[in-house]
Amino acid sequence: MPIKAAVWPAALLLTACGGGVDRNPDDSDTSSSHSISSSPSSSSNRSNSSANSSSSSSLSPSSSSSSSLSSVSNSSIFSSASSAAPNNNELSVIYALNIGANEGADLNGIRYERDDFYRVSGAENGVDLNEVDIEGTSEDALYQSQRYGNYIYELPVTNGIYNTTVHLAESWAEMPNQRLMSIVVEGQVLLDNADIYTEFGGRFQAIDLEVNDIEVTDESLTIEFSASENNATASGLLVTSAEGERREPEPMPEPEPGGASAGCDIGAGAPQNLQVPNVLLTLPEGYDGTTPTPLVFAFHGRNRNTEEMRNDDARTVGSALEQNYVMAFIKSAGGGYEMHVDYPRFEAALEQLLTELCIDTGSIFAMGISNGAQFIAAMLGNDGAAERRFAGIAPIASSYQNPPWPAVPALVIHGENDTVRAGLGDADGSQDIQQFVESNNCSNNTQPYTANSCSSLTGGGNVNPGCREYVGCDTPTVFCQHDDPHYQNTNHGWPCFANEEIFKFFESLR
């Protein structure tokens, strides 16, 4: 099947989800079209490469930025780059996603939403942002963010026929063959081990790749991104259809109180010296391999490690946390946690622990300090991981990420004068707690929350935990704005009362 470039007519009408901005006709892109020929059968190592052989696809550096983008008729195959698309007013926008960004963007009168439908699928994934000018478009914002790695989108749709456009720009490679990537949509090869730097004019060029007439029969539009050299990349997705509709996605699995993991079937033979990659693991005294036991993931601060987290920062040795819970101190790949590397490592660790230990699946918790606390929030919503398996979280000295996310019980601990966070404008944690207030649908009213005082490790002075509970929330939300100067007198450390209160909070959720 030939793949050709197309030039779009202006002002084609979309019938749904495309309320846009008026565009200046003088902003139209005058760059030349780029045509290539290919065939699905030329793709090696791809299953179903001949599927949907009747579909049509088009590749171009960018479409005219003066038009409101609409896809061509489902039955159209362009015979040349200069062919005009037929007038089709029946297509609706099903998905328009701004990949890798924390907010939406506009392109050709269509509002591209923040990407909330991304699911990690067994490979690294991540986000990068660029603030450079993008050639071939007057709407740089969509192409300035990206997701990179090897990953799969499963977009929930009704069964039907769909057109898909992938927007991207080469922002990393500086010479040919530094990135070789493929894109497959429902088994139809859209890009086959291509060097987009060479094929589309170098760096920072707006590229729009379209494949039409894709039939979905399993209520999920599957788009696979892979690379044989470096990482695959994408900046935006547009899905349109004349007959199909967006379908509500299947909910992420929620914790089931009292649930027993697969490892409980191993019984008393469960390994006491289990080795989990990237994890420092402790088991509570009396762990017998048959009783479902709560699990706590602990995430360290930047440039720290698991031993320092356990022994020096969180100081959990001998605490009620270690006496009663399985504790998994997980190491970041680099100095700090990054979604594209560390979320897959977390998922692999969780899967192994559930398989080889007897875990209470309704009592999986997370706690973290500084960068580790930010990673917890990122897993909940920022980068689309949409983690829903935590029954409760305890972030310490975090910062504002990008809420909202589905409600999760939260004990948020932050110094009242955190000099490390002062540079981000959040010395007192008011922004930190706000993301949980918003996500948990709390009112702005609070009530007293009892927490025991303690003696600081820095100077031995009496510490006021400063805890209060928000009212009207969908789930428990507690904020402890403490005055412990611990961690080099920055008020940024793990306060002396934290372990006791975290244990008490987690126990209240069981």
Side-chain angles (χ1 to χ4, degrees), residues 367-386:
M367 66 183 195
I369 176 74
S370 191
N371 175 260
Q374 292 170 228
F375 185 60
I376 294 172
M379 286 191 286
L380 295 176
N382 274 25
D383 291 308

Side-chain angles (χ1 to χ4, degrees), residues 302-304 312-313 315 369-370 418-420 456-458 484-494:
R302 184 173 295 279
N303 297 323
R304 306 291 280 175
D312 303 327
D313 299 333
R315 309 178 302 282
I369 176 74
S370 191
D418 185 334
T419 58
V420 174
S456 174
L457 296 181
T458 301
D484 189 343
H486 183 59
Y487 191 67
Q488 301 174 350
N489 282 304
T490 61
N491 201 203
H492 186 67
W494 195 279

Side-chain angles (χ1 to χ4, degrees), residues 14-283:
L14 293 170
T15 60
C17 193
V21 296
D22 293 331
R23 302 296 311 280
N24 185 342
D26 294 335
D27 290 337
S28 61
D29 173 29
T30 57
S31 62
S32 59
S33 298
H34 178 89
S35 294
I36 65 173
S37 294
S38 180
S39 170
S41 62
S42 66
S43 173
S44 60
N45 303 319
R46 288 288 179 187
S47 61
N48 301 320
S49 62
S50 61
N52 301 316
S53 59
S54 63
S55 65
S56 62
S57 60
S58 58
L59 287 73
S60 66
S62 78
S63 58
S64 171
S65 61
S66 65
S67 65
S68 293
L69 177 63
S70 175
S71 299
V72 297
S73 166
N74 289 346
S75 61
S76 297
I77 299 178
F78 292 108
S79 59
S80 70
S82 61
S83 299
N87 186 13
N88 188 322
N89 294 331
E90 299 179 355
L91 292 177
S92 297
V93 172
I94 310 303
Y95 286 101
L97 304 179
N98 186 17
I99 298 176
N102 291 331
E103 55 188 23
D106 294 300
L107 179 69
N108 301 320
I110 296 174
R111 182 64 177 174
Y112 284 70
E113 307 167 290
R114 168 187 160 186
D115 176 9
D116 287 326
F117 292 90
Y118 178 71
R119 296 291 182 266
V120 174
S121 186
E124 292 184 1
N125 62 93
V127 169
D128 190 24
L129 297 174
N130 298 289
E131 296 183 356
V132 299
D133 292 335
I134 305 297
E135 297 295 328
T137 180
S138 61
E139 301 291 349
D140 291 353
L142 182 67
Y143 301 89
Q144 288 173 333
S145 64
Q146 64 167 317
R147 190 176 300 282
Y148 57 88
N150 296 287
Y151 48 94
I152 299 175
Y153 276 82
E154 298 282 359
L155 298 178
V157 295
T158 59
N159 291 338
I161 305 297
Y162 294 86
N163 301 335
T164 300
T165 301
V166 178
H167 305 283
L168 66 151
E170 178 57 76
S171 61
W172 177 80
E174 297 180 336
M175 61 181 64
N177 297 317
Q178 288 187 320
R179 185 199 308 274
L180 300 176
M181 62 175 285
S182 299
I183 304 174
V184 177
V185 182
E186 284 289 316
Q188 173 65 54
V189 177
L190 177 58
L191 207 59
D192 183 16
N193 205 38
D195 175 6
I196 62 173
Y197 177 92
T198 299
E199 294 289 346
F200 299 104
R203 302 180 75 189
F204 309 125
Q205 301 286 329
I207 304 169
D208 304 323
L209 312 178
E210 182 173 19
V211 60
N212 296 329
D213 308 325
I214 294 295
E215 182 178 8
V216 172
T217 59
D218 60 356
E219 296 191 320
S220 181
L221 178 63
T222 302
I223 308 173
E224 303 172 70
F225 295 85
S226 62
S228 62
E229 187 69 32
N230 197 260
N231 294 297
T233 182
S235 296
L237 281 177
L238 176 65
V239 177
T240 62
S241 179
E243 60 181 45
E245 297 178 351
R246 180 184 294 202
R247 181 176 58 84
E248 287 298 317
E250 297 295 329
M252 293 292 286
E254 297 287 348
E256 296 181 4
S261 71
C264 296
D265 295 336
I266 300 175
Q272 293 287 326
N273 59 345
L274 177 64
Q275 299 297 308
V276 181
N278 313 308
V279 170
L280 170 61
L281 184 69
T282 70
L283 301 180

